Structures are given as C-alpha cells and as structure tokens.
Amino acid sequence: MPEMNTSSLPDLIFTILFFFMMVTTMREVTLKVKFDKPVGTQLEKLARKSCTSFIYIGQPTDNLKAQFGSGHRIQLNDKFAEPNEVYDYVVSERGELAEVDKPFFTVSIKSDHHTPMGIITDTKQVLRKAYALKIMYSANRPRE
C-alpha cells in the first residue's frame, strides 16, 4: 500500500490556525461584577468602540461576595475601585488615545438596573471633574 502524501498538511494546519486567529476576539476585561442591563427604548449603537472606556457597576460575582461584600461596586478594567479613583482612570484612558481620537472619547457605564442612583451620581460627578462629558449608558432593547 502506498504511503499517504503529507506535504500539504502544514499548510492546512496554518490555514486553520490563521482562520481561528481572525475570527476569535480576546476578552479585554474579566468581569468581577454581575449586571443585568436595563431596558431602553431610544437606543443607538456605539459608533467608535476604540474611543470608548467602560465602567462596570454592579454587585460582585458570587465567588467574590465573601471577599468584597454584597454591595454595589465599581469595576475599572480588572479591579474594583472607589468613585474618586475614576478620575485617574479616565485621565489615563484619554491619554492613551491619539490626538485625533481625543474629541471622540466616550465613557460607557454598564450598570445593573438595581444599582442605586447614588453610586452612579458619584461616578458622574467624578467624570464631570475629569472633563469626560460624553457618557453613554448601556441598555438592552425591549423584547417583543
């Protein structure tokens, strides 16, 4: 019985590897808070995601409740923060953008629909001090 020709096998493997590299997205942030986004009626899709920084507000996930309690917390990137730490986060995020993208800098707040308005208001006050005036709130479309 003749041997099987395996000369094209490396090409096939690299093609499959390249395919998975192109279609897979890497998760940028590991969520430490759980949130159920509120439902909104007048929603717009985020235009320039590269110019957007995300602030997550919600209760810690079940595996972190023992360590951080069950109150609502702010998550910036991969760590919990207090409202006054949002200023430094926004300044550093804006500083990483190119000069042409800085006018399009937007902060998106992803919060649980049961989050008290006090923590959101505190966050908005710090954003105002950091001169981050373009704020978006993430929401889901209503189910029909």
Side-chain angles (χ1 to χ4, degrees), residues 1-141:
M1 185 167 188
E3 290 185 23
M4 188 167 67
N5 185 3
T6 60
S7 62
S8 64
L9 191 60
D11 293 336
L12 179 65
I13 290 173
F14 282 118
T15 303
I16 292 171
L17 178 66
F18 184 71
F19 171 76
F20 284 116
M21 287 173 54
M22 293 300 293
V23 298
T24 303
T25 58
M26 301 300 286
R27 180 176 294 192
E28 295 177 10
V29 176
T30 302
L31 290 177
K32 295 183 177 185
V33 295
K34 56 184 176 182
F35 57 90
D36 184 22
K37 291 189 280 187
V39 176
T41 56
Q42 297 180 0
L43 303 177
E44 294 180 21
K45 191 166 174 94
L46 188 60
R48 297 180 83 168
K49 194 173 181 180
S50 63
C51 299
T52 304
S53 292
F54 295 94
I55 297 175
Y56 304 95
I57 304 175
Q59 291 184 342
T61 55
D62 293 333
N63 57 346
L64 295 173
K65 275 190 179 180
Q67 185 178 0
F68 295 103
S70 61
H72 286 78
R73 301 292 308 255
I74 298 172
Q75 179 183 345
L76 306 174
N77 288 336
D78 284 333
K79 66 180 184 93
F80 288 125
E82 296 298 321
N84 57 1
E85 297 176 57
V86 173
Y87 181 87
D88 294 331
Y89 170 74
V90 168
V91 170
S92 69
E93 289 287 313
R94 188 185 301 126
E96 292 176 5
L97 291 176
E99 284 296 322
V100 296
D101 291 334
K102 287 185 181 181
F104 302 107
F105 179 71
T106 306
V107 175
S108 177
I109 297 176
K110 291 187 173 189
S111 68
D112 187 60
H113 68 279
H114 294 297
T115 301
M117 275 308 290
I119 194 167
I120 293 176
T121 303
D122 293 344
T123 305
K124 285 174 42 180
Q125 293 296 330
V126 174
L127 290 172
R128 186 177 294 159
K129 289 178 187 174
Y131 204 67
L133 304 178
K134 292 182 184 177
I135 302 173
M136 296 182 65
Y137 298 96
S138 296
N140 290 329
R141 294 194 185 279

